[in-house]
Amino acid sequence: MNKAIFWDLQGTLGGDAVASIELFEPYSFAKDALKLAKDAEYKNIVITNQSRISKGTLSAEAYKRESQRIIGYFNADEILLEEILCCPHQNKDECNCKKPKTGLIQYSIKKYDLDIKNCYVVGDMGKNEIVMAYNAGCKGILVLTGGGKDSLGIFRNTWGNYEADIIADNALEAVKRIIDAAQAHE
């Protein structure tokens, strides 16, 4: 299996797009989305920006506890989520892992021997996920949950030179569209 879906966490699989991870609650369809992706032989990898860590408003211990809680929920019955990869930095830190930079995708490509042309990024923030997908050389899907509608509206200028490959109502619809697109190319 050399394909993956890189998921945004907050606003895409659950919770509020800009709230603390400590408030994350999964959407009712999130587990079904991950299951459908896994059944279609995609690895599910979450990439999340958590700048609250470097700002000092979220401790590394609290982040670790919350990420383990989230993985525990999604993997309670079977392994649906490979891992949650986190960028703890702020823009001023000039790291290579803060979305829309591709450091965590590059790490995943090596770790899981992925073919980037068979990978997708799914998220609710065009300026982060769609731009990251473009920068990495894979397809980007914007979901309309979380900040998705505002990303297409009042924040469209923040990623104005880019287009989503697919726009989906939510994460489950995104996976269905990914599977349909893959079957169309077979």
Side-chain angles (χ1 to χ4, degrees), residues 5 16 28 31 43 45 48 61 83 125 133 141 146 151 155 181:
I5 298 175
D16 183 295
S28 60
K31 204 177 240 190
K43 290 195 176 299
I45 301 165
T48 181
E61 295 78 24
E83 63 184 318
M125 298 281 191
I141 300 178
S151 211
F155 296 116

Side-chain angles (χ1 to χ4, degrees), residues 5 7 32-42 44 175 179:
I5 298 175
W7 294 95
D32 292 337
L34 295 176
K35 170 88 170 116
L36 187 61
K38 181 185 178 187
D39 289 349
E41 299 186 347
Y42 287 90
N44 291 307
V175 176
I179 292 169

Side-chain angles (χ1 to χ4, degrees), residues 124 142-156 169:
D124 67 319
L142 184 75
V143 292
L144 299 179
T145 52
K149 289 180 183 170
D150 284 344
S151 211
L152 280 176
I154 61 173
F155 296 116
R156 184 63 176 101
D169 288 338

